[in-house]
mmCIF file with all atom_site columns, all heavy atoms in Angstrom:
data_model
loop_
_atom_site.group_PDB
_atom_site.id
_atom_site.type_symbol
_atom_site.label_atom_id
_atom_site.label_alt_id
_atom_site.label_comp_id
_atom_site.label_asym_id
_atom_site.label_entity_id
_atom_site.label_seq_id
_atom_site.pdbx_PDB_ins_code
_atom_site.Cartn_x
_atom_site.Cartn_y
_atom_site.Cartn_z
_atom_site.occupancy
_atom_site.B_iso_or_equiv
_atom_site.pdbx_formal_charge
_atom_site.auth_seq_id
_atom_site.auth_comp_id
_atom_site.auth_asym_id
_atom_site.auth_atom_id
_atom_site.pdbx_PDB_model_num
ATOM   1  N N   . SER A 1 105 ? 15.110 25.589 -59.850 1.00 99.00 ? 105 SER A N   1
ATOM   2  C CA  . SER A 1 105 ? 15.401 24.451 -60.711 1.00 99.00 ? 105 SER A CA  1
ATOM   3  C C   . SER A 1 105 ? 15.461 24.899 -62.169 1.00 99.00 ? 105 SER A C   1
ATOM   4  O O   . SER A 1 105 ? 14.911 24.250 -63.042 1.00 99.00 ? 105 SER A O   1
ATOM   5  C CB  . SER A 1 105 ? 14.303 23.395 -60.501 1.00 99.00 ? 105 SER A CB  1
ATOM   6  O OG  . SER A 1 105 ? 14.789 22.102 -60.756 1.00 99.00 ? 105 SER A OG  1
ATOM   7  N N   . SER A 1 106 ? 16.118 26.032 -62.413 1.00 99.00 ? 106 SER A N   1
ATOM   8  C CA  . SER A 1 106 ? 16.168 26.595 -63.768 1.00 99.00 ? 106 SER A CA  1
ATOM   9  C C   . SER A 1 106 ? 14.762 26.808 -64.313 1.00 99.00 ? 106 SER A C   1
ATOM   10 O O   . SER A 1 106 ? 14.500 26.539 -65.490 1.00 99.00 ? 106 SER A O   1
ATOM   11 C CB  . SER A 1 106 ? 16.945 25.676 -64.721 1.00 99.00 ? 106 SER A CB  1
ATOM   12 O OG  . SER A 1 106 ? 18.163 25.291 -64.162 1.00 99.00 ? 106 SER A OG  1
ATOM   13 N N   . THR A 1 108 ? 11.757 28.546 -65.809 1.00 99.00 ? 108 THR A N   1
ATOM   14 C CA  . THR A 1 108 ? 11.463 29.698 -66.643 1.00 99.00 ? 108 THR A CA  1
ATOM   15 C C   . THR A 1 108 ? 10.191 30.385 -66.162 1.00 99.00 ? 108 THR A C   1
ATOM   16 O O   . THR A 1 108 ? 9.181  29.726 -65.901 1.00 99.00 ? 108 THR A O   1
ATOM   17 C CB  . THR A 1 108 ? 11.276 29.240 -68.105 1.00 99.00 ? 108 THR A CB  1
ATOM   18 O OG1 . THR A 1 108 ? 12.491 28.630 -68.533 1.00 99.00 ? 108 THR A OG1 1
ATOM   19 C CG2 . THR A 1 108 ? 10.917 30.408 -69.011 1.00 99.00 ? 108 THR A CG2 1
ATOM   20 N N   . ARG A 1 113 ? 2.645  29.588 -66.075 1.00 98.00 ? 113 ARG A N   1
ATOM   21 C CA  . ARG A 1 113 ? 2.994  29.266 -64.679 1.00 98.00 ? 113 ARG A CA  1
ATOM   22 C C   . ARG A 1 113 ? 2.580  30.382 -63.730 1.00 98.00 ? 113 ARG A C   1
ATOM   23 O O   . ARG A 1 113 ? 2.234  30.132 -62.577 1.00 98.00 ? 113 ARG A O   1
ATOM   24 C CB  . ARG A 1 113 ? 4.498  28.984 -64.565 1.00 98.00 ? 113 ARG A CB  1
ATOM   25 C CG  . ARG A 1 113 ? 4.891  27.685 -65.247 1.00 98.00 ? 113 ARG A CG  1
ATOM   26 C CD  . ARG A 1 113 ? 6.389  27.467 -65.298 1.00 98.00 ? 113 ARG A CD  1
ATOM   27 N NE  . ARG A 1 113 ? 6.716  26.240 -66.017 1.00 98.00 ? 113 ARG A NE  1
ATOM   28 C CZ  . ARG A 1 113 ? 7.900  25.972 -66.529 1.00 98.00 ? 113 ARG A CZ  1
ATOM   29 N NH1 . ARG A 1 113 ? 8.893  26.837 -66.405 1.00 98.00 ? 113 ARG A NH1 1
ATOM   30 N NH2 . ARG A 1 113 ? 8.099  24.828 -67.173 1.00 98.00 ? 113 ARG A NH2 1
ATOM   31 N N   . GLN A 1 152 ? 12.423 16.955 -71.702 1.00 99.00 ? 152 GLN A N   1
ATOM   32 C CA  . GLN A 1 152 ? 11.945 16.698 -70.348 1.00 99.00 ? 152 GLN A CA  1
ATOM   33 C C   . GLN A 1 152 ? 10.489 17.142 -70.286 1.00 99.00 ? 152 GLN A C   1
ATOM   34 O O   . GLN A 1 152 ? 10.144 18.259 -70.672 1.00 99.00 ? 152 GLN A O   1
ATOM   35 C CB  . GLN A 1 152 ? 12.778 17.466 -69.305 1.00 99.00 ? 152 GLN A CB  1
ATOM   36 C CG  . GLN A 1 152 ? 12.277 17.184 -67.894 1.00 99.00 ? 152 GLN A CG  1
ATOM   37 C CD  . GLN A 1 152 ? 13.073 17.897 -66.811 1.00 99.00 ? 152 GLN A CD  1
ATOM   38 O OE1 . GLN A 1 152 ? 13.881 18.785 -67.077 1.00 99.00 ? 152 GLN A OE1 1
ATOM   39 N NE2 . GLN A 1 152 ? 12.826 17.501 -65.571 1.00 99.00 ? 152 GLN A NE2 1
ATOM   40 N N   . THR A 1 156 ? 9.898  24.086 -70.952 1.00 98.00 ? 156 THR A N   1
ATOM   41 C CA  . THR A 1 156 ? 9.755  24.966 -72.110 1.00 98.00 ? 156 THR A CA  1
ATOM   42 C C   . THR A 1 156 ? 10.393 24.320 -73.344 1.00 98.00 ? 156 THR A C   1
ATOM   43 O O   . THR A 1 156 ? 10.047 24.676 -74.467 1.00 98.00 ? 156 THR A O   1
ATOM   44 C CB  . THR A 1 156 ? 10.410 26.336 -71.845 1.00 98.00 ? 156 THR A CB  1
ATOM   45 O OG1 . THR A 1 156 ? 11.775 26.113 -71.457 1.00 98.00 ? 156 THR A OG1 1
ATOM   46 C CG2 . THR A 1 156 ? 9.690  27.088 -70.734 1.00 98.00 ? 156 THR A CG2 1
ATOM   47 N N   . ASP A 1 196 ? 17.636 23.655 -72.169 1.00 99.00 ? 196 ASP A N   1
ATOM   48 C CA  . ASP A 1 196 ? 18.262 24.960 -71.932 1.00 99.00 ? 196 ASP A CA  1
ATOM   49 C C   . ASP A 1 196 ? 19.745 24.979 -72.333 1.00 99.00 ? 196 ASP A C   1
ATOM   50 O O   . ASP A 1 196 ? 20.483 24.024 -72.092 1.00 99.00 ? 196 ASP A O   1
ATOM   51 C CB  . ASP A 1 196 ? 18.105 25.352 -70.467 1.00 99.00 ? 196 ASP A CB  1
ATOM   52 C CG  . ASP A 1 196 ? 16.638 25.609 -70.122 1.00 99.00 ? 196 ASP A CG  1
ATOM   53 O OD1 . ASP A 1 196 ? 15.833 25.797 -71.054 1.00 99.00 ? 196 ASP A OD1 1
ATOM   54 O OD2 . ASP A 1 196 ? 16.306 25.616 -68.931 1.00 99.00 ? 196 ASP A OD2 1
HETATM 55 N N1  . LIG B 2 .   ? 13.861 26.183 -68.114 1.00 88.12 ? 1   LIG B N1  1
HETATM 56 C C1  . LIG B 2 .   ? 13.051 25.068 -68.449 1.00 88.12 ? 1   LIG B C1  1
HETATM 57 C C2  . LIG B 2 .   ? 11.679 25.230 -67.872 1.00 88.12 ? 1   LIG B C2  1
HETATM 58 O O1  . LIG B 2 .   ? 11.463 25.981 -66.981 1.00 88.12 ? 1   LIG B O1  1
HETATM 59 C C3  . LIG B 2 .   ? 13.613 23.731 -68.040 1.00 88.12 ? 1   LIG B C3  1
HETATM 60 C C4  . LIG B 2 .   ? 13.959 23.596 -66.605 1.00 88.12 ? 1   LIG B C4  1
HETATM 61 C C5  . LIG B 2 .   ? 14.253 22.182 -66.191 1.00 88.12 ? 1   LIG B C5  1
HETATM 62 N N2  . LIG B 2 .   ? 14.863 22.162 -64.920 1.00 88.12 ? 1   LIG B N2  1
HETATM 63 C C6  . LIG B 2 .   ? 15.344 21.042 -64.332 1.00 88.12 ? 1   LIG B C6  1
HETATM 64 N N3  . LIG B 2 .   ? 15.956 21.144 -63.189 1.00 88.12 ? 1   LIG B N3  1
HETATM 65 N N4  . LIG B 2 .   ? 15.194 19.890 -64.906 1.00 88.12 ? 1   LIG B N4  1
HETATM 66 O O2  . LIG B 2 .   ? 10.772 24.573 -68.288 1.00 88.12 ? 1   LIG B O2  1
#
Side-chain angles (χ1 to χ4, degrees):
S105 208
S106 311
T108 300
R113 291 173 183 161
Q152 180 179 12
T156 55
D196 293 343

